[in-house]
Amino acid sequence: MTTPHDLDDRLRAELAALGAPEKRRDLGERLPDGGPLTGAQALALFDAQLTSRLLDLAGQWLHGFGEGYHTIESAGHEGNAAVAAALRPTDPALLHHRSGAFYCLRAAQAAGAFPAAPPPPVPPTPAPEADPDAAVDALPDAGPGTAAGSPSAAPPAAAGAPGSAVDGSPAADGSPGTAARAEVHGSSGAVPGTSSGVSPDGPAASSAQRATPASSPVAPAPSAVIPEPSATPAPAATPALPAAVPESHDLPAQRGTGQDAHINPTSQEQRSTLREPERSWYESAPIGAVSYQDLERPGAGGEAGSLPAGAPAIVVDADGGATVGVPDLPQLAPDDAFAAAARDVLRGIVASVEEPAAGGRQKLFGRADLAVVPTAANAGSHLPRAVGLGLALERLRRGARPADGEPEAAAWPADSVVVCSFGDASVNHATVTAALNTAGWYDHTGLRIPVLFVCEDSGGSADGWVATTLRSRPGIRYFAADGTDVAESYRVAAEAAAWVRRHRRPAVLHLGAVRLMGQGDAARDPLLATARLLVTSGYAGGEELLSRYDERGWQLRRIAEEALDEPKLASAVDVVRELAPRRPVRVARAVAEAAERAAGPGAGARAEAFGGKPPELTGPLTLAQSINAALADGMLDHPRMAVFGRDVAAGGGAHGVTEGLRDRFGAARVFDTPRDETSILGLGLGAGLAGMLPVPEIRYLAYLHSAEDQLRSEAATMRFFSRGAFRNPMVVRVAALAGEDGLGGHARNDNSVAMLRDVPGLVVAVPARPDDAAPMLRTCLAAARVDGSVCVFLEPAALYDARDLYADGDGEWTAEYAEPGAWADRHVPIGRARVYGIGSAEDLTIITFGGGVRMSLRAAATLAAEGVGSRVVDLRWLAPLPVADIIREASATGRVLVVDETRRSGGVGEGVVSALVDTGYVGAARRVAGLDSFVPLGPAARQVLVSEEAITQGARTLLAR
């Protein structure tokens, strides 16, 4: 087990032992082996990596005296800084919790602090013959601009000319230059500065193989690609990909169990003593920091320190002779981009309200201006969202427009690549499997999803398992690199990102890592490997890098002390402020404005969409028909609204609720998905994040439970973890609850909604009648659009086609569809119930929802014949419950019968009774609920479900008290 002290001591000793380079090189020069990086870029990557390492140590230090509430433990994963450098700072990134170096480098890119590559040398003579594929690939794309500090290249030279590849540096499309692009697309032309004949489709000589000394512990690994899947061909302008060599190489053997180092926290009193100013720095400093006064700062004693970074130093000897020397490394600024990123992370560790993502609610990597989307801590749960975001960005790139007055989507460029990272253990997680499967499924069907999956493999899985798993995924291009070799990682990551950006198709980068605070091999420390690269290439000496490590450690100590003094969340109101804001007035206004558009400028399009006969002119509608009409009206009003799920396009869904929508609005807006509920919700989460209004359908409530983490950990937490900077509006339609005929058994008759009501901020709607279904759906769509709400719209499947209430043929369970002019007057606010009076309505209050409304109205009619007046309260909203309406109606009679078609334990009835008790209700109350049982098949279902007879008997018992 490697402890933080061991890790720090070993790194310091190794840095000091590196010595000075034999020949000093200018930072503006490229790696001597022709690798993809300049010295300045390698130094910036080293700075990101050492900042991340020191954040690890600082987190352990703060935790040790009770002031740190989270540890980062990115140590050994710092190779992901190279992945960040290979991307653009505007590419949306969804990161796992070991992404400290990625975050630091992304902050430097956004601040323009990541050095641009120099222009390529002018070729002396043109090549005798141009390669047609390379010429096509050399066409300029919108790439990472130098203003943003991301990789770039000068305009290409003549096609096929030597030197036009910029020595493998990323070109305008984010690729590693024409050479690297030609490698991906099958060009055989050798390019100066690259290995001749190297292709990601076969064994490739890595920079480690070319330049790493024999004593280096960094094990090189080539990039590799699996055979091309069977899929829709690439566009004609893109050269066909070559057949891949199946014997693509795996990563080097990984070691380490990944167990966390144990920290013995000291008490609050001891921590306070540690911070006393009279104690020396050496007694209280975090690991990796030395006294600021003891640092030997480059240039502190002479004029050379004032020269700009990278400028040659002129040395004049006693005889007046002048020589040009290479300057020392540029000094670390105390407020540079890396320090700013460190401040973000340290604020998160100490739960400061100033932390830019969650504001002290959670430690995570997230920041809107860095395009880093906060993610939950659950293993791989963010990957389905990443797939959805990629699919949505492609759709928006092809021309989806916002409605009048609708806010624009997140300003991600049209050719963005979505990057999402995860650890090797997560490969076995169901959500990761779902995401990879969905990405491959859509690629197989010809739809484009520009997602780069990054699996950081620290060797915790069985040997070869991760590589075998990732390489076997159909439709997903495979790349691999040793993450401890920063040059190799950068080159392969740039290849992968360029391939995804150009083809708009998914790929996975298998990046080697090591768990340095577990059982990992410390000899494979990526930070030490980058330091060794800088020294052996002539850019820096070991003592210089050690001094840099010490100075950054001092800076982080100062920042940590400042963060400790910042306020923390001090009240429940502060904590929940961003959880799920409700603006009912704005929601009502949005519904009214939609009505005005439908009746005014949109009337013609509406008439055409409904074939000249809008639903208000078709007579009474059933619940299913009313929902269908409301969905159509929603899609007319929201051009970015999309309906999707299992068979919703081709078959109109299992219950026909979406029938005809694809014909009216096209396959881009109404489409089928893989039969996986995790992926369906993930697509919705990503689409909402991209600025769309997703309406996914889950076929049965029982199917939702396998995917509920997408609602709990991802959907409901987005505003909470981003202070409202990101949001994922969504309305999830679910065929729910049970029918007394028991058709289909448990799978089609699940009556458990406890997990939905337990998710903070989630809106749960249950319409019972057709004339409630349409306005409630409009409310949910408006709330999603206005407040970013996540709504679950539970549709009682047993009532979809119901027409009668009291007697066959009475048609009293159908209703007219409201014309647009009446939408505002019939608006149903979130959290408001509906009350029916039967008889005198003075003797009994029946509180129910869903299918219970129809049964309770029938029971109330029976009681009315016995002289008992009842009022039936349809909750309509299960979260938030209409507490004010419950109390008012309960107090009106003093007798409350709660009819709950979910289960007795954990059912909705428990929440209703709790609301009565909490508000001081003193009358009588009784519950009629389903049994704590799964719903059996056929007639046996009646033995465990609520029935009209049970309601009538429960009312009589209550009245007899």
Side-chain angles (χ1 to χ4, degrees):
M1 176 70 68
T2 301
T3 68
H5 283 282
D6 294 339
L7 187 62
D8 177 63
D9 290 344
R10 183 183 293 111
L11 179 62
R12 295 174 63 82
E14 293 279 1
L15 288 177
L18 288 178
E22 295 182 2
K23 178 182 178 181
R24 192 72 178 223
R25 296 171 61 87
D26 189 273
L27 287 172
E29 298 180 33
R30 292 192 178 276
L31 292 173
D33 66 342
L37 297 169
T38 66
Q41 290 174 326
L43 181 63
L45 286 163
F46 177 77
D47 284 340
Q49 292 178 322
L50 74 85
T51 303
S52 177
R53 176 65 55 81
L54 289 165
L55 283 170
D56 268 5
L57 302 180
Q60 300 282 359
W61 174 67
L62 289 164
H63 178 65
F65 52 73
E67 289 284 7
Y69 307 105
H70 198 286
T71 54
I72 309 303
E73 297 194 7
S74 297
H77 286 254
E78 292 93 351
N80 54 38
V83 179
L87 294 161
R88 301 174 185 169
T90 54
D91 287 331
L94 294 83
L95 306 176
H96 72 139
H97 65 286
R98 304 188 193 279
S99 301
F102 185 110
Y103 186 81
C104 292
L105 200 286
R106 171 60 66 91
Q109 281 182 312
F114 185 72
V122 178
T125 56
E129 182 177 355
D131 183 273
D133 287 347
V136 171
D137 280 353
L139 294 176
D141 291 337
T146 56
S150 54
S152 61
S164 64
V166 199
D167 294 337
S169 65
D173 65 346
S175 70
T178 305
R181 288 198 298 267
E183 290 169 8
V184 173
H185 298 304
S187 172
S188 60
V191 181
T194 63
S195 298
S196 176
V198 174
S199 168
D201 290 338
S206 71
S207 59
Q209 290 171 309
R210 294 191 300 267
T212 304
S215 61
S216 171
V218 181
S223 61
V225 188
I226 58 171
E228 188 69 23
S230 173
T232 300
T238 304
L241 294 171
V245 178
E247 297 81 15
S248 54
H249 290 205
D250 292 338
L251 292 172
Q254 306 286 325
R255 293 180 293 277
T257 63
Q259 297 180 0
D260 297 338
H262 177 67
I263 301 298
N264 295 316
T266 21
S267 66
Q268 176 75 14
E269 292 75 18
Q270 288 175 302
R271 204 282 298 172
S272 299
T273 302
L274 288 173
R275 290 184 62 205
E276 289 296 326
E278 59 268 17
R279 290 180 63 84
S280 72
W281 165 262
Y282 294 104
E283 294 175 289
S284 62
I287 301 168
V290 300
S291 172
Y292 182 83
Q293 291 81 1
D294 293 343
L295 293 174
E296 294 191 10
R297 312 169 78 87
E303 295 297 326
S306 63
L307 291 172
I314 301 176
V315 181
V316 181
D317 59 25
D319 297 328
T323 59
V324 178
V326 178
D328 292 336
L329 297 182
Q331 297 181 23
L332 290 173
D335 57 351
D336 64 8
F338 299 110
R343 186 181 298 276
D344 291 348
V345 176
L346 288 169
R347 281 172 164 169
I349 291 174
V350 302
S352 166
V353 297
E354 300 299 328
E355 193 270 329
R361 296 171 180 84
Q362 178 70 21
K363 165 65 201 83
L364 40 74
F365 295 109
R367 186 162 170 171
D369 59 344
L370 300 183
V372 177
V373 181
T375 64
N378 294 13
S381 64
H382 56 291
L383 266 66
R385 180 201 296 276
V387 174
L389 179 56
L391 185 64
L393 291 180
E394 265 305 279
R395 180 187 178 278
L396 294 174
R397 186 174 75 93
R398 297 173 185 271
R401 62 180 181 85
D404 295 338
E406 184 174 347
E408 287 288 343
W412 284 306
D415 61 346
S416 291
V417 167
V418 180
V419 61
C420 55
S421 59
F422 57 102
D424 56 286
S426 297
V427 165
N428 305 304
H429 200 279
T431 53
V432 173
T433 300
L436 294 172
N437 182 74
T438 300
W441 187 89
Y442 274 115
D443 189 79
H444 179 76
T445 62
L447 293 178
R448 297 301 187 233
I449 299 184
V451 176
L452 176 61
F453 301 97
V454 180
C455 178
E456 298 182 20
D457 186 357
S458 60
S461 300
D463 288 346
W465 170 249
V466 175
T468 300
T469 300
L470 296 178
R471 292 169 60 189
S472 66
R473 304 306 307 188
I476 300 178
R477 194 81 161 175
Y478 177 86
F479 296 83
D482 180 1
T484 65
D485 180 346
V486 70
E488 170 74 3
S489 299
Y490 178 78
R491 179 182 68 80
V492 178
E495 290 176 5
W499 190 89
V500 174
R501 198 180 309 278
R502 177 174 294 275
H503 291 279
R504 319 304 295 165
R505 295 173 63 187
V508 60
L509 171 60
H510 187 190
L511 192 68
V514 57
R515 286 289 302 280
L516 289 179
M517 289 193 186
Q519 299 290 343
D521 183 0
R524 298 185 60 243
D525 187 340
L527 182 55
L528 178 59
T530 305
R532 186 178 292 111
L533 176 67
L534 288 167
V535 174
T536 58
S537 299
Y539 299 116
E543 288 294 338
E544 290 178 287
L545 299 178
L546 177 58
S547 176
R548 204 170 188 84
Y549 178 77
D550 287 337
E551 183 169 1
R552 184 66 78 192
W554 180 89
Q555 292 176 355
L556 264 62
R557 160 66 188 257
R558 174 181 56 82
I559 294 171
E561 292 285 344
E562 293 171 356
L564 284 171
D565 293 329
E566 293 176 349
K568 295 177 173 56
L569 295 169
S571 70
V573 173
D574 290 338
V575 172
V576 302
R577 187 186 311 278
E578 291 294 348
L579 182 61
R582 300 271 184 265
R583 294 181 290 182
V585 174
R586 293 193 183 185
V587 171
R589 185 184 307 140
V591 171
E593 290 170 352
E596 293 174 0
R597 289 190 290 270
R606 186 169 183 266
E608 181 180 355
F610 285 110
K613 193 173 185 180
E616 60 267 25
L617 301 181
T618 59
L621 303 181
T622 63
L623 182 72
Q625 291 168 336
S626 182
I627 294 172
N628 178 278
L631 286 171
D633 271 325
M635 298 195 74
L636 286 167
D637 192 56
H638 305 292
R640 286 181 173 173
M641 176 175 159
V643 174
F644 51 90
R646 294 178 57 176
D647 302 324
V648 301
H655 306 279
V657 179
T658 58
E659 185 176 356
L661 293 181
R662 185 179 67 171
D663 294 337
R664 296 178 192 173
F665 301 102
R669 299 184 63 194
V670 182
F671 55 91
D672 294 331
T673 65
R675 298 189 174 190
D676 172 61
E677 282 63 36
T678 293
S679 296
I680 293 171
L681 293 180
L683 292 173
L685 292 173
L689 187 62
M692 296 178 64
L693 182 56
V695 184
E697 176 183 297
I698 303 298
R699 177 171 289 195
Y700 298 112
L701 179 59
Y703 296 177
L704 179 63
H705 298 308
S706 64
E708 64 187 52
D709 188 56
Q710 290 295 295
L711 292 176
R712 179 184 301 276
S713 297
E714 292 293 327
T717 61
M718 180 51 71
R719 289 192 64 103
F720 190 71
F721 286 165
S722 69
R723 296 198 291 184
F726 294 101
R727 58 185 212 163
N728 41 218
M730 183 165 64
V731 180
V732 184
R733 295 180 42 254
V734 187
L737 305 175
E740 62 181 11
D741 58 4
L743 179 64
H746 167 66
R748 299 187 181 185
N749 291 275
D750 189 32
N751 60 341
S752 175
V753 300
M755 77 89 180
L756 294 174
R757 295 191 63 250
D758 184 57
V759 178
L762 197 67
V763 174
V764 182
V766 184
R769 293 182 57 91
D771 49 347
D772 278 335
M776 289 175 68
L777 183 55
R778 281 193 286 269
T779 297
C780 288
L781 293 173
R785 180 179 172 187
V786 171
D787 292 329
S789 299
V790 180
C791 305
V792 178
F793 199 75
L794 299 178
E795 302 166 3
L799 301 179
Y800 270 141
D801 301 315
R803 292 182 174 273
D804 306 323
L805 175 56
Y806 299 113
D808 291 345
D810 65 16
E812 292 196 33
W813 205 254
T814 59
E816 301 282 345
Y817 189 85
E819 62 179 358
W823 290 358
D825 293 337
R826 300 186 186 181
H827 170 59
V828 179
I830 292 174
R832 293 303 307 273
R834 178 174 181 175
V835 182
Y836 302 85
I838 308 297
S840 66
E842 296 178 353
D843 301 313
L844 176 67
T845 300
I846 302 176
I847 300 176
T848 186
F849 63 92
V853 177
R854 188 165 178 248
M855 289 186 287
S856 295
L857 288 173
R858 288 174 170 175
T862 300
L863 293 170
E866 300 173 5
V868 177
S870 306
R871 51 184 68 200
V872 176
V873 180
D874 179 3
L875 293 172
R876 298 196 293 196
W877 306 93
L878 304 187
L881 281 171
V883 175
D885 296 332
I886 290 172
I887 302 307
R888 183 188 66 248
E889 298 304 322
S891 300
T893 65
R895 299 184 186 90
V896 174
L897 181 67
V898 180
V899 177
D900 181 5
E901 63 174 313
T902 63
R903 299 169 191 164
R904 176 167 292 274
S905 298
V908 176
E910 288 185 348
V912 173
V913 173
S914 296
L916 291 170
V917 173
D918 291 345
T919 53
Y921 172 74
V922 295
R926 183 179 177 84
R927 281 197 296 157
V928 175
L931 297 186
D932 290 341
S933 169
F934 299 107
V935 180
L937 186 67
R942 299 171 189 164
Q943 306 303 316
V944 300
L945 297 176
V946 172
S947 65
E948 180 183 333
E949 293 76 15
I951 297 170
T952 305
Q953 185 57 45
R956 289 170 179 154
T957 302
L958 182 63
L959 291 166
R961 287 184 179 179

